[in-house]
Amino acid sequence: MFKHVFGPVPSRRLGISLGVDLVLPKSCNMNCIFCECGATKKLTLKRERFKDPEEIKEEIKEVLKKIKPDYITFSGSGEPTLSKDIGEIIDWIKEHTDVKVCVITNGLLLDDSVVVNEIKNADLIIPTLNSVDNMIFKKINRPSVSSDVLQIMAGLKNLSEKYLGEIYLESFIIEGLNDSDEHTEKMVKFLKNIKFTKLQLNSLDRVGTEKWVKATSQEILRRIKDKYVELGIENVEIISEMKEIDEKIDIDQELIKNMKEKREYKEEELKKIYNI
Ligand code: SF4
């Protein structure tokens, strides 16, 4: 029985991605208004062991006998860097498999060099920066009162100086909060000082925690992208819909059930990659 792995999920940016959930639902150091896994039950800043790492490794071994994902991705029911075992499990995957590793993180712990050192062997890190304005950051990400956006910015700087792999920086756009040209100008001032592979503009794809949060129109996303390019940040892309793949994957029903427990997937979305 699989408890910690799910999918492979239809990922709009990673192809076939096997999810690994290192935390218990839902443990996070933020409670984002757009989160697709629902409201944070355990808002915590404390790193800890949530699960037995040996059980997780066993499950990864088992699943890889059945499928060959493009990435093993740490995401799921909360913030993966809260797990003290993330480094050990990444290193184990790199040593025992030939699958690339991705860490999706809200970036709040990246100012801690211990955390950056633990995830340094991942092939790809996707941190999020939705705003450099503390008020807007707090409205969107709703971290604990002691956290602010300067910590995220320091973390991204720390990551970009110490990490040698690819960084896809994600910015989640919400109309009326972080979609103005003035906001993009402030982001650019900061982003010019850090190193990243590309900036990805994201928008709501499923149901968010706060029902009033809606998908941002393509028109607005294109305007923001154009503004970034005009101001000198050229490696910007809008995350598009999941493309249908030619050779559909036979999926284990248990893994698909685990996946659906994390997020609401639409039937047509699943049919793009699975034989179901
Ligand atoms: S989107 Fe990520 S950082 Fe935000 S609440 Fe959900 S799991 Fe936590």
Side-chain angles (χ1 to χ4, degrees):
M1 195 184 121
F2 297 112
K3 291 190 292 191
H4 316 300
V5 297
F6 56 97
V9 298
S11 165
R12 292 175 294 159
R13 36 188 173 180
L14 299 174
I16 309 302
S17 159
L18 177 71
V20 178
D21 199 351
L22 297 179
V23 303
L24 294 173
K26 184 201 155 190
S27 310
C28 197
N29 41 17
M30 294 185 181
N31 182 22
C32 305
I33 55 177
F34 58 82
C35 185
E36 293 172 355
C37 349
T40 299
K41 291 196 185 102
K42 181 173 175 176
L43 187 67
T44 177
L45 292 172
K46 194 167 152 271
R47 299 191 75 211
E48 58 186 285
R49 166 167 290 176
F50 295 88
K51 296 174 171 183
D52 177 358
E54 297 311 314
E55 263 187 30
I56 295 173
K57 292 176 199 169
E58 273 311 309
E59 287 198 6
I60 294 172
K61 244 196 269 178
E62 271 312 299
V63 178
L64 292 186
K65 287 180 191 162
K66 304 178 189 192
I67 49 172
K68 173 83 168 68
D70 298 309
Y71 279 94
I72 293 176
T73 303
F74 292 92
S75 65
S77 311
E79 171 53 36
T81 60
L82 281 172
S83 165
K84 281 186 163 179
D85 297 306
I86 190 166
E88 181 196 325
I89 299 173
I90 290 173
D91 292 347
W92 179 86
I93 295 169
K94 296 304 295 176
E95 199 179 321
H96 292 89
T97 81
D98 58 356
V99 184
K100 288 190 279 185
V101 174
C102 169
V103 178
I104 299 183
T105 173
N106 62 31
L108 196 58
L109 293 176
L110 298 177
D111 64 336
D112 180 345
S113 290
V114 171
V115 174
V116 172
N117 191 46
E118 285 176 20
I119 61 176
K120 69 174 185 306
N121 291 328
D123 300 274
L124 169 64
I125 297 180
I126 305 185
T128 307
L129 179 71
N130 304 317
S131 185
V132 289
D133 178 309
N134 199 38
M135 289 253 286
I136 298 174
F137 162 71
K138 291 214 164 195
K139 273 187 195 162
I140 297 176
N141 293 93
R142 302 190 301 195
S144 67
V145 278
S146 59
S147 306
D148 68 36
V149 79
L150 292 177
Q151 204 177 327
I152 301 267
M153 291 158 75
L156 288 173
K157 201 148 195 325
N158 193 31
L159 181 74
S160 84
E161 284 165 5
K162 299 198 171 112
Y163 172 67
L164 302 174
E166 291 202 293
I167 300 174
Y168 294 179
L169 186 61
E170 174 193 64
S171 199
F172 203 99
I173 306 297
I174 296 175
E175 280 186 56
L177 286 177
N178 60 349
D179 62 333
S180 70
D181 285 352
E182 296 70 34
H183 185 270
T184 306
E185 281 161 19
K186 284 189 203 165
M187 291 281 283
V188 169
K189 272 192 195 141
F190 169 68
L191 293 180
K192 285 204 163 160
N193 296 312
I194 65 163
K195 176 180 70 74
F196 55 92
T197 316
K198 57 182 165 184
L199 172 66
Q200 297 187 309
L201 304 180
N202 202 358
S203 170
L204 198 72
D205 193 38
R206 301 189 185 88
V207 183
T209 296
E210 298 302 334
K211 302 293 173 263
W212 59 264
V213 178
K214 302 283 176 236
T216 300
S217 71
Q218 286 297 309
E219 194 188 342
I220 292 177
L221 294 173
R222 272 196 298 272
R223 174 180 46 77
I224 296 171
K225 179 182 170 186
D226 290 348
K227 191 73 190 169
Y228 272 114
V229 174
E230 180 195 319
L231 296 173
I233 305 272
E234 293 187 358
N235 43 347
V236 186
E237 67 182 25
I238 296 169
I239 299 181
S240 53
E241 266 194 5
M242 177 74 199
K243 302 240 178 352
E244 183 149 358
I245 61 170
D246 292 336
E247 284 189 34
K248 304 271 188 305
I249 303 166
D250 292 319
I251 177 121
D252 183 299
Q253 286 308 312
E254 196 179 344
L255 290 169
I256 209 168
K257 182 175 150 277
N258 290 357
M259 190 179 104
K260 285 178 171 173
E261 278 169 9
K262 315 249 177 255
R263 287 170 182 66
E264 273 185 36
Y265 288 92
K266 299 175 210 124
E267 213 52 26
E268 64 268 26
E269 193 178 7
L270 301 178
K271 283 184 177 154
K272 284 181 180 173
I273 71 161
Y274 303 127
N275 273 322
I276 50 171

